[in-house]
Amino acid sequence: MEQDYVYSCEERNIEQFPSFFDEVWSDLPEIQLIDTETGHKPRLSTTVKIFWNKVRDSVCFQFYCQDNNIVSTMKNHDDPIYKEDVVEVFISETGSLTSYKEFEVSPANVKFDAAIYNNPDKALQVMTDWHAEGWKTDCYVNLEKSQFISVWEIPFKNFSTGTPVKGTEWRINCYRIDRNSAGQDEYTAWSPTGKADFHVPDSFGYLRFD
């Protein structure tokens, strides 16, 4: 196991969908995204925090993104928002590296979700007819502070293994694409893939439910 890419997902029990600045986020460990090709510090910082909520039977994510030039014009669910600014999580709850789920959210709070089949011997299959039931998201954009925050809650009923128990491990990776009008697009990841392509499941880290 690649110890550098293990995140201890702590249990927090709250009754409501967590807001951007909810106290629940304050003491959680954070992931710093790095350049997915080089592993170097990126131009724009992105941190990710994750917890699981037994009360609401869900896993929650917070992306905190520095951004001085937000590009986010698409409006419809499953639009190709990855062509603009976006934050993403790929999740394999079974540990399979050929079948996983993709979740994306834009700063305009537009969502994209799909079931992915990534058999190296076949073309990548992106099944956008799969939708995460009860997946809630919200985005906060502050142009004066050059930032946006994206908060998610994904119910465990969307995963074939159901509600995890302590010690359960999922394979995941977290990503961000920043589009820049000057042509300086930036691809960042928790666990770098070595190229400007996030569909490299061998690079997935481990989400451990503690």
Side-chain angles (χ1 to χ4, degrees), residues 1 20 27 170:
M1 180 183 300
F20 310 109
D27 62 344
W170 287 359

Side-chain angles (χ1 to χ4, degrees), residues 18-39:
S19 66
F20 310 109
F21 306 109
D22 197 301
E23 186 66 23
V24 71
W25 302 110
S26 62
D27 62 344
L28 293 174
E30 70 178 23
I31 291 168
Q32 289 276 355
L33 300 194
I34 55 180
D35 187 281
T36 196
E37 295 185 70
T38 67

Side-chain angles (χ1 to χ4, degrees), residues 141-188:
V141 176
N142 187 324
L143 296 177
E144 290 185 0
K145 293 185 176 181
S146 298
Q147 68 181 24
F148 74 89
I149 306 169
S150 184
V151 173
W152 311 1
E153 180 184 52
I154 308 175
F156 287 128
K157 62 185 176 182
N158 290 291
F159 303 100
S160 61
T161 53
T163 303
V165 297
K166 288 186 181 293
T168 297
E169 289 185 342
W170 287 359
R171 298 295 303 272
I172 78 162
N173 213 346
C174 302
Y175 309 105
R176 178 184 174 190
I177 301 173
D178 178 75
R179 304 296 184 184
N180 186 286
S181 58
Q184 299 173 317
D185 293 348
E186 188 167 63
Y187 295 77
T188 53

Side-chain angles (χ1 to χ4, degrees), residues 18-197:
S19 66
F20 310 109
F21 306 109
D22 197 301
E23 186 66 23
V24 71
W25 302 110
S26 62
D27 62 344
L28 293 174
E30 70 178 23
I31 291 168
Q32 289 276 355
L33 300 194
I34 55 180
D35 187 281
T36 196
E37 295 185 70
T38 67
H40 295 162
K41 182 179 179 179
R43 178 174 51 86
L44 297 175
S45 68
T46 308
T47 61
V48 186
K49 295 183 177 182
I50 313 170
F51 72 91
W52 62 312
N53 189 350
K54 279 194 173 179
V55 171
R56 291 172 63 92
D57 204 34
S58 61
V59 60
C60 298
F61 296 82
Q62 181 206 61
F63 283 81
Y64 197 102
C65 306
Q66 179 190 13
D67 200 335
N68 55 8
N69 181 29
I70 291 174
V71 180
S72 187
T73 65
M74 299 184 190
K75 298 180 179 180
N76 301 311
H77 191 150
D78 284 345
D79 275 351
I81 57 176
Y82 45 84
K83 294 182 178 180
E84 298 184 333
D85 290 350
V86 73
V87 290
E88 308 183 11
V89 178
F90 291 4
I91 298 176
S92 171
E93 72 274 20
T94 65
S96 168
L97 298 182
T98 58
S99 176
Y100 48 91
K101 296 175 178 69
E102 177 175 354
F103 302 87
E104 302 181 8
V105 180
S106 75
N109 202 35
V110 176
K111 295 187 283 189
F112 175 100
D113 48 6
I116 306 297
Y117 299 96
N118 192 353
N119 186 327
D121 299 326
K122 299 180 180 179
L124 182 73
Q125 293 180 275
V126 180
M127 313 299 290
T128 55
D129 57 344
W130 179 83
H131 298 300
E133 185 179 348
W135 177 27
K136 295 186 66 175
T137 65
D138 203 0
C139 285
Y140 168 84
V141 176
N142 187 324
L143 296 177
E144 290 185 0
K145 293 185 176 181
S146 298
Q147 68 181 24
F148 74 89
I149 306 169
S150 184
V151 173
W152 311 1
E153 180 184 52
I154 308 175
F156 287 128
K157 62 185 176 182
N158 290 291
F159 303 100
S160 61
T161 53
T163 303
V165 297
K166 288 186 181 293
T168 297
E169 289 185 342
W170 287 359
R171 298 295 303 272
I172 78 162
N173 213 346
C174 302
Y175 309 105
R176 178 184 174 190
I177 301 173
D178 178 75
R179 304 296 184 184
N180 186 286
S181 58
Q184 299 173 317
D185 293 348
E186 188 167 63
Y187 295 77
T188 53
W190 172 34
S191 175
T193 65
K195 54 185 177 179
D197 179 1

